[in-house]
């Protein structure tokens, strides 16, 4: 992803496409989208990944988290006239070098999340999938107790630490 | 940064990250995340969880031509979407909802004003302006109401809310928010109910009219 961002490397983008396009298609089709429409979404999402690569920050997000957000925004745009309101981007100091230890820590947490997901019983896994595909209301999410919230909580702590660290550097 | 004591419930953050929150609430969540590092971190954690679901999804074979189509389109020129930055007390998502203009305030009586950002079948979201010491007029809500303080502060039976704080009120909560002294209180408020503000009969007149 970094070669795509920094060098506009088409070979690297092609590899990203090979990994994510079939998974994106599977992800989008899980919520009942037809194969043809799913491919339109995959095309739009992958083009957005290329065009907005400059916004990707490995210290903030895993590639999959970033692509997930782009995919959900695209799906929302297709059903609603108003897109989803998004938070302001954090104004980061361009002089601040990404902290390698933060990137490693984020990767570890993401690894924990994937392990936790793969260990879930099929019915639990289905609840999580539905939640993150936007098929559960917030009331339904809050009544679910099976979400692997522990892993999410540790990521929140980690993310908060990093955000505070970054803002301190700016002052 | 302000000390924010009242945060976004996790289920709302998860639902927002998944894109399934009705638009009025989503605007309040986006505005709160713009002001609150704790909830930004929570949002990013849910994005990561969504990413993990995506990465572990079953791969479905794509048509042969799709990749070459995408590769051929990489150099197509595009117009970037406009980005709205914070303006004064208003976070970027609110500025976007205002289309970059100043709020158009409409009086509700007794110095209280509102500016409706959007209203429809999904509910409504509006800005409220409440002079110091004034109560928020009766505004019965059938469902969930989210109120984010942008300027000043207010207090009610459940506590004190300053800039960046979010009050989450369900339909069972009978509350009378009153703006504290100092600056007028300006809030962003969303409900999933139709607007029920009774502009000429604010709360303090209700005992007189017996309603």
């Amino acid at each position: 992803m970094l070669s795509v961002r920094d060098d506009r490397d088409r070979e690297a983008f092609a590899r990203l496409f090979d990994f994510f396009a079939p998974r994106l298609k599977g992800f989008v089709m899980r919520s009942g989208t037809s194969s043809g429409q799913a491919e339109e979404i995959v095309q739009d999402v992958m083009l957005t990944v290329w065009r907005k690569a400059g916004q990707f920050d490995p210290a903030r997000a895993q590639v999959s988290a970033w692509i997930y957000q782009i995919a959900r925004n695209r799906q929302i745009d297709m059903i609603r006239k108003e897109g989803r309101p998004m938070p302001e981007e954090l104004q980061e100091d361009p002089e601040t070098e990404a902290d390698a230890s933060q990137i490693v820590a984020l990767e570890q947490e993401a690894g924990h999340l994937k392990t936790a997901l793969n260990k879930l019983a099929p019915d639990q896994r289905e609840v999580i999938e539905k939640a993150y595909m936007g098929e559960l209301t917030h009331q339904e999410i809050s009544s679910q107790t099976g979400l692997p919230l522990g892993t999410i909580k540790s990521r929140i702590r980690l993310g908060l630490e990093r955000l505070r660290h970054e803002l301190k550097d700016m002052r | 940064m302000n000390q924010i004591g009242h945060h976004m419930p996790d289920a709302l953050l998860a639902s927002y990250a998944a894109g399934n929150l009705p638009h009025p609430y989503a605007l309040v969540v986006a505005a709160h995340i713009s002001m609150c590092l704790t909830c930004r971190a929570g949002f990013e954690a849910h994005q990561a969880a969504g990413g993990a679901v995506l990465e572990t999804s079953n791969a479905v074979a794509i048509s042969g031509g799709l990749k070459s189509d995408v590769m051929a389109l990489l150099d197509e020129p595009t117009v970037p979407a406009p980005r709205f930055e914070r303006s004064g007390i208003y976070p970027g998502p609110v500025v976007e909802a205002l289309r970059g203009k100043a709020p158009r305030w409409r009086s509700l009586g007794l110095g209280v004003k509102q500016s409706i950002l959007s209203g429809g079948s999904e509910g409504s979201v509006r800005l409220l302006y409440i002079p110091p010491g004034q109560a928020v007029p009766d505004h019965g809500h059938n469902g969930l109401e989210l109120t984010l303080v942008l300027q000043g502060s207010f207090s009610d039976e459940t506590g004190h809310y300053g800039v960046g704080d979010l009050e989450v009120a369900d339909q069972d909560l009978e509350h009378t928010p009153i703006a504290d002294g100092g600056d007028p209180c300006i809030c962003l408020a969303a409900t999933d109910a139709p607007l029920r503000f009774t502009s000429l009969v604010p709360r303090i007149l209700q005992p007189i009219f017996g309603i």
Side-chain angles (χ1 to χ4, degrees), chain B residues 27-54:
Chain B
L27 179 57
V28 179
V29 175
H32 180 73
I33 292 173
S34 301
M35 301 168 83
C36 176
L37 284 186
T38 305
C39 291
R40 185 182 289 271
F43 171 53
E44 290 181 354
H46 286 295
Q47 289 178 315
V53 169
L54 169 62

Side-chain angles (χ1 to χ4, degrees), chain B:
Chain B
M1 242 232 189
N2 290 290
Q3 207 54 46
I4 295 176
H6 300 274
H7 294 284
M8 193 61 71
D10 203 44
L12 285 175
L13 277 181
S15 169
Y16 171 72
N20 196 33
L21 207 54
H23 182 267
Y25 297 147
L27 179 57
V28 179
V29 175
H32 180 73
I33 292 173
S34 301
M35 301 168 83
C36 176
L37 284 186
T38 305
C39 291
R40 185 182 289 271
F43 171 53
E44 290 181 354
H46 286 295
Q47 289 178 315
V53 169
L54 169 62
E55 238 182 288
T56 54
S57 285
N58 287 331
V60 174
I62 49 168
S63 334
L66 188 66
K67 186 175 176 184
S68 50
D69 286 354
V70 169
M71 297 304 290
L73 284 169
L74 292 185
D75 294 328
E76 287 286 301
T78 51
V79 185
R83 269 178 59 177
F84 291 88
E85 302 295 337
R86 159 173 283 271
S87 169
I89 62 165
Y90 301 110
V94 174
V95 175
E96 182 169 11
L98 288 164
R99 295 178 188 85
K101 298 180 187 138
R104 292 176 62 196
W105 296 107
R106 298 257 186 271
S107 174
L108 292 169
L110 299 174
V112 178
K113 294 182 274 189
Q114 74 172 357
S115 172
I116 297 173
L117 299 178
S118 78
S121 57
E122 276 198 315
S124 68
V125 57
R126 67 196 126 168
L127 292 164
L128 280 173
Y129 175 103
I130 309 139
Q134 187 59 253
V136 177
D138 181 39
H139 60 291
H141 41 93
N142 294 325
L144 180 72
E145 181 183 61
L146 298 181
T147 308
L148 173 67
V149 180
L150 302 178
Q151 175 186 294
S153 62
F154 73 83
S155 301
D156 69 10
E157 291 81 347
T158 67
H160 174 77
Y161 298 84
V163 172
D165 279 332
L166 176 85
E167 181 176 52
V168 181
D170 64 18
Q171 56 194 346
D172 300 327
L173 179 70
E174 285 287 328
H175 64 141
T176 312
I178 297 176
D180 300 323
D183 283 333
C185 180
I186 297 180
C187 301
L188 177 68
T191 79
D192 55 5
L195 292 181
R196 281 213 281 140
F197 254 130
T198 45
S199 64
L200 296 171
V201 194
R203 185 174 277 273
I204 59 158
L205 292 179
Q206 288 189 344
I208 303 169
F209 289 114
I211 53 172

Side-chain angles (χ1 to χ4, degrees), chain A residues 90-133:
Chain A
L90 269 192
Q91 298 298 321
E92 296 179 80
D93 185 347
E95 297 297 302
T96 312
E97 280 289 314
D99 182 339
S101 69
Q102 289 283 3
I103 299 178
V104 171
L106 264 195
E107 271 169 13
Q108 279 176 352
E109 283 301 326
H112 291 325
L113 264 174
K114 271 185 281 181
T115 312
L117 269 178
N118 284 328
K119 277 189 187 158
L120 290 175
D123 55 333
Q124 281 180 308
R125 158 100 199 178
E126 201 180 324
V127 171
I128 304 285
E129 283 182 354
K130 280 190 171 168
Y132 288 104
M133 284 170 183

